Amino acid sequence: MSKQVRRQLHLDPTLCDAHGFCAELLPELIDLDEWGYPVFIAGGLVTDVPEVLAGEAKRAVTTCPVGALRLTKNE
Amino acid sequence: MSTHRLLPIDPQTGRARDLRSLASHAAAFGPLPILPPSADGHPGPLIEAIAESRLCGRGGGWFPTARKMQAVVDSAAGRRKRSPGSRPVVIANAMEGEPASGKDAVLLAHVPHLILDGIQAAAATVGATDAYLAVHRGTPSIDDLERAIAERRSDLVRVELITPPARYVASEESALSHWAGDDTATPVYGDRPFERGMNGRPTLVQNVETLAHLGLIARHGGSWFAEVGDAQAPGTTLVTVGGRVRQPGVIEVPTGTPVSDILARCGGVDGPVEGFLTGGYGGAWVASEALWSAEWAPAQVREAGGVIGAGILWALDAAICPLHEMARVATYMAGESAGQCGPCRFGLPSVADDLTDLARAASTREDLARINARLALVVNRGGCKHPDGTARFIGTGLTVFSAEVAEHLGGGCSASRSGASLPIPKIRKTPVKRAGKDFR
Ligand SMILES: Cc1cc2nc3c(=O)[nH]c(=O)nc-3n(C[C@H](O)[C@H](O)[C@H](O)COP(=O)(O)O)c2cc1C
Ligand code: SF4
Ligand code: SF4
């Protein structure tokens, strides 16, 4: 049986300092607003990450200089 | 059936009775029954009456109180296995951050012991070992409250009075929990207080009106509570009625009372009114005719386009420019941002500035489009709901007063009277850059 994995990227807006690296790494999921803060294209502060972007999402989490991003995995 | 439950009326004066002493309180309401506490990971037995009452929180969200209490008990039970030091905490929210609200101050000034009874009932039900009553700094009734607390000898949990700064977002529940733990009143993102609140402990935050109702449910039971009011959110509720009415003030009515009756109880409107502000500065504007015929219950007011929120009903004088009023409030709300989240810290001031230009009839269609685009950008992106409430206040206002917006875009303004109506505490022009002394 194949397992359905749901990866989600979480943004803590109180930590984010608008460094913008996340939007560079994940343009498919993240835009920047006029003040340089990330906007999840699907809205809100939690967004689903498709399998093909899992690696990039992990990189975004480690690249964010203030630790504002978090990746979770539910089966 | 009497609907003066929280605020008994003196028949001689027609005003709410002063029940600040424990003796007068006990004489008016009767004794508070013994409350068996929570044990073995289960809520105290009062939870059944609370569930039966269908009591919903009166701090703005109208969330079912029994469910929140159950969540606190569950998270404490789940945690106890791992860390025994995480007993629940109760925080009574009497901050009344909404500038146009007066109900919590009325409760504090007239029936403080009913609130304190409710705190005891809540503490027993969730098994709390610490309880706090949060009133904003500078509240006039602080000495009376200290006295009331000192008068109570049979309380199981001692109540400590805390005085966070009088900032709009300092009364949001995660900010209050933050303050109670380490003296910083900024909202915290992520942890919800019922799971991880003050110092990481499960924390029950309830508005003081909710707790005062609880003080009565502890005496009379849940079905008594639900005897009056709306089927979904029963009981009585306090409404702060202001603006263009003959007798503004706080009244107690059953939920589901027609708005027209509430206005009549306040002497009726005193001149033309085009729109009402419901819920406060984090609430929503509703066109006069849409609200007039609605009933004052959460679902009905929502259907009319408004929100009960903290129970504010403000009749805006049609002679005053609504855009000017909105710009003043938006500027105030922008300055109240805790400055932690980009969309709130930069988005709200930019919208407030554009709105100020619109109020001065110095805007173009593109400027208006920019306001609307930015409103969409601040929603669902903050660490708390401060930007969402502010955006709703502005967005609904632009719709309800669209005729005035058109007038202003053409360089005019139909206000026949200058001047301000909605109350604004001290305005801070820009939000704090990083939460610091302002929130201590
Ligand atoms: C920005 C903001 C300000 C708030 N201010 C207040 C307040 O002044 N008083 C209050 O009781 N609740 C306030 N709330 C709601 C509280 O977070 C919390 O939900 C409430 O106190 C819970 O009590 P209740 O369930 O009894 O309504 C505020 C919420 C937000 C987002
Ligand atoms: S990389 Fe981190 S700090 Fe930079 S914009 Fe993204 S979330 Fe914010
Ligand atoms: S949304 Fe605004 S008020 Fe709320 S935590 Fe963020 S900066 Fe503070």
Side-chain angles (χ1 to χ4, degrees):
Chain A
M1 242 176 30
S2 76
K3 268 190 280 180
Q4 269 296 330
V5 180
R6 186 177 193 196
R7 286 185 182 77
Q8 289 187 304
L9 191 62
H10 303 248
L11 170 71
D12 181 339
T14 63
L15 293 179
C16 171
D17 262 338
H19 294 282
F21 301 125
C22 53
E24 247 167 71
L25 287 166
L26 287 167
E28 300 87 346
L29 300 180
I30 307 177
D31 264 345
L32 292 181
D33 66 17
E34 58 183 297
W35 308 287
Y37 289 85
V39 186
F40 287 163
I41 291 165
L45 293 168
V46 183
T47 196
D48 283 328
V49 179
E51 173 104 55
V52 289
L53 294 176
E56 289 301 292
K58 222 180 263 172
R59 182 137 10 122
V61 170
T62 49
T63 309
C64 173
V66 293
L69 293 170
R70 200 162 52 85
L71 198 59
T72 56
K73 217 159 99 171
N74 304 324
E75 279 160 29
Chain B
M1 221 170 298
S2 167
T3 54
H4 299 294
R5 290 176 162 183
L6 300 174
L7 295 169
I9 300 295
D10 181 337
Q12 231 94 77
T13 63
R15 295 166 160 270
R17 290 176 59 193
D18 173 358
L19 301 173
R20 273 175 297 177
S21 74
L22 190 54
S24 63
H25 166 74
F29 293 108
L32 182 67
I34 305 276
L35 302 158
S38 155
D40 305 327
H42 296 289
L46 188 62
I47 192 83
E48 277 165 37
I50 303 169
E52 191 186 8
S53 74
R54 281 166 281 144
L55 173 65
C56 296
R58 303 295 202 253
W62 289 75
F63 188 82
T65 304
R67 263 169 58 198
K68 187 152 64 175
M69 291 178 155
Q70 184 70 53
V72 167
V73 172
D74 289 348
S75 96
R79 205 99 66 72
R80 198 156 311 142
K81 294 178 202 122
R82 281 166 282 144
S83 64
S86 53
R87 293 292 297 273
V89 178
V90 170
I91 301 180
N93 194 347
M95 295 283 286
E96 196 149 54
E98 278 291 350
S101 178
K103 74 184 180 79
D104 296 339
V106 165
L107 287 173
L108 291 174
H110 291 84
V111 290
H113 286 288
L114 198 55
I115 295 169
L116 294 166
D117 286 350
I119 295 176
Q120 294 303 316
T125 307
V126 300
T129 46
D130 293 279
Y132 300 88
L133 172 57
V135 298
H136 68 72
R137 214 168 286 162
T139 297
S141 53
I142 285 181
D143 290 345
D144 283 346
L145 291 171
E146 290 283 16
R147 217 168 295 131
I149 291 170
E151 237 191 310
R152 298 169 69 94
R153 296 282 147 74
S154 42
D155 283 355
L156 286 177
V157 179
R158 223 192 75 78
V159 176
E160 190 183 323
L161 206 58
I162 55 174
T163 53
R167 300 288 311 243
Y168 187 91
V169 301
S171 44
E172 185 273 337
E173 58 185 1
S174 72
L176 270 190
S177 307
H178 194 186
W179 170 267
D182 66 8
D183 289 358
T184 308
T186 49
V188 180
Y189 176 72
D191 296 337
R192 283 170 305 173
F194 70 82
E195 284 170 349
R196 297 180 52 80
M198 186 189 101
N199 295 333
R201 294 163 62 182
T203 302
L204 179 76
V205 181
Q206 302 278 192
N207 173 260
V208 287
E209 183 190 338
T210 314
L211 291 166
H213 285 299
L214 198 56
L216 294 177
I217 291 169
R219 288 173 166 85
H220 308 300
S223 59
W224 167 84
F225 181 81
E227 270 169 23
V228 303
D230 175 65
Q232 282 170 47
T236 61
T237 196
L238 300 179
V239 190
T240 310
V241 187
R244 204 73 217 248
V245 292
R246 288 191 185 83
Q247 295 149 30
V250 174
I251 61 170
E252 181 174 6
V253 296
T255 55
T257 298
V259 168
S260 51
D261 287 5
I262 293 176
L263 294 166
R265 280 255 321 257
C266 295
V269 297
D270 184 18
V273 169
E274 253 176 65
F276 286 96
L277 176 60
T278 58
Y281 299 170
W285 290 96
V286 189
S288 191
E289 61 279 12
L291 195 68
W292 207 270
S293 52
E295 290 173 353
W296 194 252
Q300 286 83 325
V301 172
R302 202 178 316 124
E303 202 162 304
V307 46
I308 291 193
I312 291 153
L313 177 61
W314 185 278
L316 186 70
D317 184 345
I320 286 180
C321 174
L323 301 181
H324 183 241
E325 289 297 291
M326 283 162 57
R328 289 171 63 239
V329 170
T331 305
Y332 163 71
M333 293 294 267
E336 289 300 296
S337 164
Q340 306 188 104
C341 313
C344 182
R345 179 172 151 197
F346 297 104
L348 294 187
S350 67
V351 171
D353 286 348
D354 279 346
L355 203 53
T356 303
D357 286 342
L358 181 64
R360 291 190 191 121
S363 295
T364 62
R365 288 208 168 273
E366 289 83 73
D367 296 330
L368 178 63
R370 190 173 57 217
I371 295 179
N372 283 314
R374 283 176 174 166
L375 285 180
L377 265 185
V378 302
V379 173
N380 277 327
R381 291 181 63 213
C384 76
K385 293 291 176 199
H386 179 62
D388 303 64
T390 307
R392 181 171 57 191
F393 171 93
I394 298 167
T396 52
L398 291 174
T399 307
V400 167
F401 302 111
S402 59
E404 192 59 35
V405 170
E407 180 87 25
H408 280 234
L409 289 177
C413 173
S414 61
S416 57
R417 208 152 66 67
S418 64
S421 162
L422 289 163
I424 307 269
K426 190 173 142 210
I427 288 192
R428 296 168 178 84
K429 204 41 192 148
T430 44
V432 290
K433 241 183 128 169
R434 269 283 166 254
K437 65 176 176 36
D438 265 23
F439 285 86
R440 285 180 186 273

